[in-house]
Amino acid sequence: MAKPVQIEVWNPNGKYRVVSTKPMPGTRWINLLIQQDCRVEICTQNKTILSVEDIIALIGDNCDGVIGQLTEDWGDALFSALSKAGGKAFSNMAVGYNNVDVNAANRYGVAVGNTPGVLTETTAELAATLSVAAARRIVEADEFMRGGLYEGWLPHLFVGNLLKGQTVGVIGAGRIGSAYARMMVEGFKMNLIYYDLYQATRLEKFVTAYGQFLKANGEQPVTWKRASSMDEVLREADVISLHPVLDKTTYHLVNKESLAVMKKEAILVNCSRGPVIDEVALVEHLKANPMFRVGLDVFEWTREGMATLAALNVLGKIKGYPIWSNPNSVEAFLDENSPPPAACPSIVNAKAIGLPVSKL
């Protein structure tokens, strides 16, 4: 048995009991729950990752919904405990939900929420930031300077890569991948090569129009190319950013073989999901190719908005609200100057457990 976990309680006399397994940024999500007569319990245990036993202890005998994190193992044990406690909903504070056994949730009739739509520009900007940092060797130079190792300028000291005129490669040209591509093309006048199962027509039109603008002003126009395979992107691109979904087909999408296809001085960026890259193979590749650079970050996101959406997923299911018709367009839920729509922003198993779609 896990020891009782430490909690912080808001609105102790609330009708509905909602548990958050971690403190989350901001207070709007708490206030929205309180306004709908929820008792909010936030785990304040000084523990990075809660165990299944910890979360079962948090759920207790009476719990209407839980807001959780990607680091938690939401499988049969937790959904069984939540269902027995009368729980109706669980929401990840994340877009991804590979930590969730959705089939188990379906068996117990528990709605599973996630938080898409709020991360497009933020994640794209982060990917662009990592691309520049890796290209210009900013982190290395900063550590060198802070370590007191700088003794004066040298011609070859931290020579980085010029991005202008180079080729940026995008694997997965959905909302985030396309936003990143636009930033790199317009910001650094890079040419684009992308691979996606679906044609990114809007992105292609953007690059074409920007190329025409540059040409009209006497500059070298940028170009775009839709690759026929991922390997084509890996071979041709100088900077490669990964934006696929994580499923069985993309697990270790970048591995020993695909790394070997890339240029020796290429830059690889991953702001999608960690398991897309075989990290063991990546470490070995970095050891063998010292000029190969990587920018990795799959944990930093727009967190207050995510906390709000996660809370509203749980609240919506408790209140019996329908499902928002477009989970990638959630601005109405994030507008602090007006009440959120009476709907669940995003329930990934809505169809499986028979939840209706909002007509709002």
Side-chain angles (χ1 to χ4, degrees), residues 52-277:
V52 169
E53 291 75 19
D54 291 331
I55 299 173
I56 288 175
L58 269 175
I59 291 171
D61 298 325
N62 179 24
C63 182
D64 294 284
V66 177
I67 303 168
Q69 307 295 322
L70 266 178
T71 52
E72 300 157 3
D73 182 12
W74 277 83
D76 192 273
L78 289 182
F79 285 117
S80 173
L82 182 56
S83 178
K84 288 177 182 176
K88 302 176 177 65
F90 163 79
S91 185
N92 253 358
M93 185 190 141
V95 175
Y97 48 93
N98 61 302
N99 64 311
V100 178
D101 183 343
V102 178
N103 290 328
N106 293 342
R107 287 195 297 272
Y108 292 103
V110 176
V112 175
N114 67 337
T115 61
V118 70
L119 307 174
T120 300
E121 298 300 325
T122 300
T123 308
E125 285 183 8
L126 182 57
T129 300
L130 290 173
S131 301
V132 176
R136 307 310 301 183
R137 304 180 67 178
I138 291 172
V139 176
E140 297 172 74
D142 177 74
E143 291 180 351
F144 185 84
M145 182 68 76
R146 291 177 187 272
L149 301 175
Y150 181 75
E151 296 179 352
W153 180 84
L154 293 171
H156 295 290
L157 186 63
F158 295 112
V159 175
N161 295 23
L162 180 69
L163 294 177
K164 182 180 179 181
Q166 301 298 304
T167 298
V168 60
V170 174
I171 308 295
R175 292 176 297 105
I176 296 172
S178 290
Y180 166 80
R182 291 194 300 270
M183 291 176 188
M184 301 305 289
V185 169
E186 187 174 20
F188 300 99
K189 299 174 184 175
M190 299 184 77
N191 298 310
L192 170 68
I193 180 171
Y194 79 93
Y195 175 71
D196 197 290
L197 296 177
Y198 304 97
Q199 185 174 8
T201 305
R202 291 180 63 185
L203 176 60
E204 293 173 359
K205 289 180 178 178
F206 174 87
V207 180
T208 298
Y210 186 57
Q212 292 170 345
F213 168 80
L214 292 175
K215 186 176 181 179
N217 285 274
E219 297 188 60
Q220 182 69 27
V222 293
T223 62
W224 63 266
K225 176 182 179 182
R226 183 185 180 193
S228 59
S229 68
M230 186 181 82
D231 278 0
E232 187 177 355
V233 176
L234 300 181
R235 282 194 304 268
E236 296 186 18
D238 301 289
V239 179
I240 298 159
S241 191
L242 305 174
H243 300 279
V245 297
L246 177 63
D247 57 24
K248 293 179 181 179
T249 67
T250 59
Y251 178 79
H252 285 184
L253 183 70
V254 175
N255 51 35
K256 181 179 180 180
E257 290 73 26
S258 54
L259 286 165
V261 173
M262 298 174 67
K263 296 178 180 180
K264 299 296 184 184
E265 296 186 0
I267 294 167
L268 176 65
V269 173
N270 184 22
C271 286
S272 58
R273 303 304 304 280
V276 167
I277 297 179

Side-chain angles (χ1 to χ4, degrees), residues 5-49:
V5 291
Q6 298 173 346
I7 60 170
E8 173 185 324
V9 180
W10 294 69
N11 192 31
N13 297 319
K15 179 180 179 180
Y16 308 104
R17 181 172 177 258
V18 175
V19 170
S20 176
T21 62
K22 283 282 187 291
M24 299 190 297
T27 57
R28 183 170 183 253
W29 69 275
I30 298 173
N31 292 330
L32 287 169
L33 290 171
I34 290 174
Q35 289 165 12
Q36 295 296 322
D37 203 15
C38 291
R39 170 190 170 104
V40 181
E41 296 186 12
I42 303 170
C43 178
T44 57
Q45 192 85 0
N46 186 21
K47 192 173 183 180
T48 303
I49 300 176

Side-chain angles (χ1 to χ4, degrees), residues 320-359:
Y321 294 158
I323 310 307
W324 189 243
S325 59
N326 185 359
N328 290 316
S329 180
V330 294
E331 292 81 4
F333 294 94
L334 303 176
D335 183 359
E336 297 187 10
N337 297 316
S338 60
C344 301
S346 178
I347 300 295
V348 301
N349 61 338
K351 186 175 181 180
I353 61 176
L355 300 181
V357 176
S358 171
K359 296 180 180 179

